[in-house]
Amino acid sequence: MILRIVVVFAAALFLIGVIVGLIKPKWVLFWAKNPDRLTAAMVVSAIAMLLFMAGWTGIAKLTLKPKEPQQRHEEDRRSRDEQNMLQLNR
């Protein structure tokens, strides 16, 4: 639940931050003496992208179950040449 909030927050931060950064770049880059609009938009985009990716990675790690190791059958233990042969007669 918390990770979904992080993802929604990242999307909202991106939208609001880019609009504010394009209109008032000094608000976003308060530490810079002469901020420009492109830098403000890039900083907001980078921060929002990191939050978005971290949120979705956390959601995937918590919700997806690891796959069971597949048992190999005797027919799968062929040589590399046999595995690479095209089977066009299917």
Side-chain angles (χ1 to χ4, degrees):
M1 182 67 185
I2 293 174
L3 292 173
R4 292 179 197 265
I5 294 171
V6 169
V7 170
V8 171
F9 176 73
L13 175 73
F14 175 73
L15 291 175
I16 294 169
V18 167
I19 291 170
V20 170
L22 290 175
I23 295 171
K24 296 279 189 179
K26 187 70 174 170
W27 290 1
V28 176
L29 300 174
F30 55 89
W31 64 89
K33 291 183 181 179
N34 293 322
D36 61 335
R37 288 178 168 86
L38 180 63
T39 306
M42 294 294 287
V43 167
V44 169
S45 298
I47 292 170
M49 189 182 335
L50 288 173
L51 283 172
F52 193 77
M53 289 188 307
W56 276 114
T57 301
I59 289 171
K61 291 275 185 184
L62 291 176
T63 58
L64 296 177
K65 297 177 183 174
K67 292 183 179 179
E68 296 288 331
Q70 296 177 354
Q71 297 178 358
R72 293 187 168 205
H73 300 289
E74 291 297 325
E75 59 196 33
D76 290 340
R77 296 184 185 194
R78 299 176 291 183
S79 69
R80 296 246 186 232
D81 290 334
E82 291 174 351
Q83 290 177 0
N84 290 332
M85 291 295 294
L86 294 176
Q87 297 179 3
L88 301 175
N89 59 354
R90 286 188 180 186

